[in-house]
Amino acid sequence: MAERGRGWARAVRGLLLDVSGVLYDSGADGGVPIAGSAEAVRRIKASGLKLQLCTNETQATREDFVRKLRAMGFDVSVAQVTAPAPAACRLLRERGLRPHLLVHDGLVPEFAEIDKTNPNCVVLGDAAENFTYANLNEAFRLLIGMEKPVLISLGKGRYYKETDGLKLDVGAYMKALEYACDVQAEVVGKPAKRFFESALAELGVPAEQAIMIGDDIVSDVGGAQQCGMRALQVRTGKYRPSDENHPVVKPDAYVNNLAEAVDIILQQL
């Protein structure tokens, strides 16, 4: 059961949910829902609580992502998804940046309206099999050749869980390019404060009345708490027992899964 009492569950108007590791475990076959998670989403919506998915998903457009979630039984819409690619597109337009994309093939359509000629920055996402030496070296050469290199990363996760085990995430490749090019990446997805603030704005609830629920102790829990939110870590997805001894980040509570968290929150309404 959840620890540290249940005071964290009071005065809640909205929930931000991580997706991979909270709603489902991803995999080559599309992934599998975590037991009880689809029903938990239905209960949240029926309760009148506001709901927003706050994800670092960068292997598909939001439309394709929502289509997959709906096929798994999750009643969600594109408007309920805060994801890094649209935020990156806003940033690129604001600053007149033309990206070289090192991203998953499924994400490329999100950048269809963005000028990509004569790139003056590199945008890095969870490119999976596209993280070849040749592709990384091409991104390196572009960055090292710039007077003021700009590297934008759609997240900085170390790893995530698929049905066949843990997989390296974009953060590992981001660090490689940072080191090689002596550049500091600008992170658009979690745990960036601006990203959580966008999710809260879309949720329409102030930070002190929102709870973030995720499986990543640093990106989900730590990032949300830095924005003034309460944050729970589920013991599903990439959760590891060693997370409970993290030297810096202490969740407001641990819960075994999303269904348990929703049970406790709804009891407090």
Side-chain angles (χ1 to χ4, degrees):
M1 288 298 289
E3 289 88 2
R4 299 176 63 182
R6 295 187 174 186
W8 56 264
R10 297 194 182 102
V12 180
R13 288 180 50 216
L15 300 178
L16 293 178
L17 305 183
D18 180 35
V19 179
S20 179
V22 175
L23 300 189
Y24 76 101
D25 283 323
S26 57
D29 56 354
V32 295
I34 292 168
S37 56
E39 176 61 22
V41 169
R42 280 193 288 274
R43 293 180 68 205
I44 292 166
K45 297 184 80 170
S47 73
L49 288 172
K50 293 190 175 184
L51 171 69
Q52 190 76 14
L53 305 184
C54 186
T55 178
N56 271 2
E57 167 63 43
T58 58
Q59 290 196 5
T61 64
R62 283 178 301 165
E63 288 77 11
D64 286 343
F65 185 51
V66 165
R67 201 172 293 121
K68 178 172 81 169
L69 287 174
R70 293 183 72 87
M72 289 186 191
F74 294 101
D75 179 17
V76 295
S77 65
V78 171
Q80 289 175 304
V81 178
T82 302
C89 287
R90 286 195 296 274
L91 183 151
L92 294 168
R93 289 192 187 96
E94 287 168 8
R95 290 168 50 183
L97 293 171
R98 303 179 303 278
H100 168 78
L101 299 176
L102 179 44
V103 301
H104 195 280
D105 291 343
L107 193 69
V108 171
E110 288 274 21
F111 296 88
E113 307 288 312
I114 299 293
D115 182 6
K116 294 177 281 291
T117 58
N118 189 23
N120 58 2
C121 72
V122 168
V123 171
L124 194 65
D126 180 15
E129 284 74 17
N130 285 346
F131 277 135
T132 63
Y133 174 80
N135 287 345
L136 279 164
N137 200 52
E138 184 181 8
F140 158 74
R141 285 177 168 174
L142 278 165
L143 287 167
I144 205 76
M146 294 175 189
E147 186 178 344
K148 293 183 178 178
V150 177
L151 173 61
I152 296 168
S153 187
L154 308 180
K156 61 184 254 186
R158 294 177 298 157
Y159 54 85
Y160 57 93
K161 184 184 179 186
E162 290 200 339
T163 50
D164 62 347
L166 298 177
K167 301 289 178 78
L168 274 178
D169 203 352
V170 63
Y173 302 95
M174 179 194 87
K175 287 293 184 183
L177 289 173
E178 282 186 330
Y179 176 66
C181 302
D182 194 23
V183 63
Q184 179 97 30
E186 300 177 44
V187 178
V188 173
K190 296 177 292 186
K193 187 173 183 181
R194 183 177 175 182
F195 188 68
F196 276 108
E197 288 170 347
S198 294
L200 281 169
E202 291 172 358
L203 183 67
V205 168
E208 62 272 15
Q209 295 179 346
I211 293 180
M212 174 73 196
I213 302 175
D215 68 330
D216 189 310
I217 187 73
V218 174
S219 290
D220 295 330
V221 176
Q225 288 178 333
Q226 286 182 2
C227 284
M229 277 183 275
R230 287 161 277 177
L232 313 183
Q233 186 177 18
V234 290
R235 294 189 178 103
T236 54
K238 69 163 68 169
Y239 162 85
R240 301 171 75 193
S242 60
D243 291 344
E244 302 198 21
N245 299 312
H246 195 279
V248 177
V249 182
K250 306 296 179 189
D252 290 87
Y254 294 95
V255 288
N256 288 322
N257 48 46
L258 176 62
E260 182 183 6
V262 171
D263 277 345
I264 296 169
I265 291 165
L266 295 188
Q267 286 168 17
Q268 301 292 323
L269 290 181

